[in-house]
Amino acid sequence: MMLPTLAIGLGLAVTASQDFTGNLTAFLSFLLLLLIPWGAVSLVDFYLVQPGEYDVPGMYIRRGKYWSDPATWTHNGVSLKVLIAFVIGVVSGIPAMSNAWYVGPITRHLSNADLSWIPGMVVTSVVYLALVRVGRDAPGKSYTAVASRRQTSPL
C-alpha cells in the first residue's frame, strides 16, 4: 500500500510542481478519505465486535478462521463485510469532500469545509456493525465465537 501511494504522490508532485502545496493538500485529502473508513472498521472491530480477542497466530494459518468463514463472509482471507463497509464509507464521504481537485455538493453549502471524515467514520461504523449482526446466531455473541464453534464441530 505504501509503494503505490508513494508512486502516485511522487508522480503528481513532479507533474504539478507549479502548485505543489495545493496538490499535496488535495492528495492528502484523498488519503484522508480512504484512511478514515479503514480506521473506523479497525476500531469498531477491535473495541466493539471482538473486544481485543484476536487469534494472532490464527491469522497466519492459511485454512484458519481468518482465511475462510461463511459466517463472517470471509473468503481467501478477505472479509466481504469489511470491504462493503469500507466502500460505502468512502462513497459517503465524497459529497462532503473539499480540496483543490474536487468540491462536493455538501461542502459548497458549508463554506468549502472538508468534512468528509465525518460521514466516512459514522457511516462506515454503522454499516460494519449492521453487517456483523447478520453473522450472529444469538444476541450478544460475537461472530468469532460462532466461527470457532463451527470449526470444532465434528460435522
Side-chain angles (χ1 to χ4, degrees), residues 40-124:
V41 166
S42 298
L43 290 172
V44 167
D45 191 64
F46 186 80
Y47 287 107
L48 299 177
V49 177
Q50 306 180 65
E53 298 175 8
Y54 289 108
D55 178 19
V56 176
M59 293 179 188
Y60 300 100
I61 298 173
R62 209 159 224 269
R63 300 292 175 210
K65 67 180 178 182
Y66 295 115
W67 179 259
S68 180
D69 184 13
T72 61
W73 303 356
T74 302
H75 305 285
N76 296 327
V78 177
S79 174
L80 295 177
K81 291 181 180 185
V82 170
L83 285 179
I84 291 168
F86 175 77
V87 169
I88 291 173
V90 168
V91 170
S92 71
I94 291 173
M97 186 175 184
S98 175
N99 60 37
W101 299 335
Y102 177 77
V103 176
I106 293 175
T107 57
R108 288 189 190 116
H109 301 291
L110 299 172
S111 302
N112 290 340
D114 187 357
L115 301 175
S116 61
W117 62 274
I118 296 172
M121 185 185 329
V122 173
V123 171
T124 304

Side-chain angles (χ1 to χ4, degrees), residues 11-23:
L12 290 172
V14 168
T15 60
S17 61
Q18 294 172 354
D19 185 20
F20 179 74
T21 305
N23 288 322

